[in-house]
Amino acid sequence: MNYKTVLGICLIIFGLIYCQKEGSHNYESIGTITGQDFRMCPSPCCSGWFIKIDSLTYEFDSLPTNSNINLEKETFPLVVKLDWQLSDTLECPNKRITVQKIVKE
């Protein structure tokens, strides 16, 4: 075999191993949306939705528009994969999150 053939075979193998399916994404967490927060209080720590991630319960207000999840029509608990970060609200630190990406598990 000449070096061009070996190089071509190596490139094909490399491409097959490292090529990812379009739209695939590794999410940082798996969570369970447990339902809506019906509490009505003046604090920004009330209302929204509850989600359990790694045995801790957080709250969030909304999902990204491209998530294709309609929380008003879902059955709970709903298992999801998501990327998220803690919100920067001073009133309820370590309780409120912002969901960056999410899909049903």
Side-chain angles (χ1 to χ4, degrees), residues 37-48:
D37 179 1
F38 290 107
R39 296 176 298 167
M40 300 177 86
C41 63
S43 165
C45 299
C46 296
S47 74

Side-chain angles (χ1 to χ4, degrees), residues 59-60 62 83-88 96-100:
E59 300 165 25
F60 65 94
S62 62
D83 289 344
W84 61 280
Q85 67 181 25
L86 284 172
S87 295
D88 57 359
R96 211 97 169 126
I97 66 168
T98 301
V99 178
Q100 298 160 326

Side-chain angles (χ1 to χ4, degrees), residues 52-72:
K52 190 171 187 174
I53 303 170
D54 298 328
S55 75
L56 295 173
T57 300
Y58 298 98
E59 300 165 25
F60 65 94
D61 291 319
S62 62
L63 298 178
T65 55
N66 61 350
S67 71
N68 296 324
I69 298 174
N70 183 345
L71 294 173
E72 301 294 333

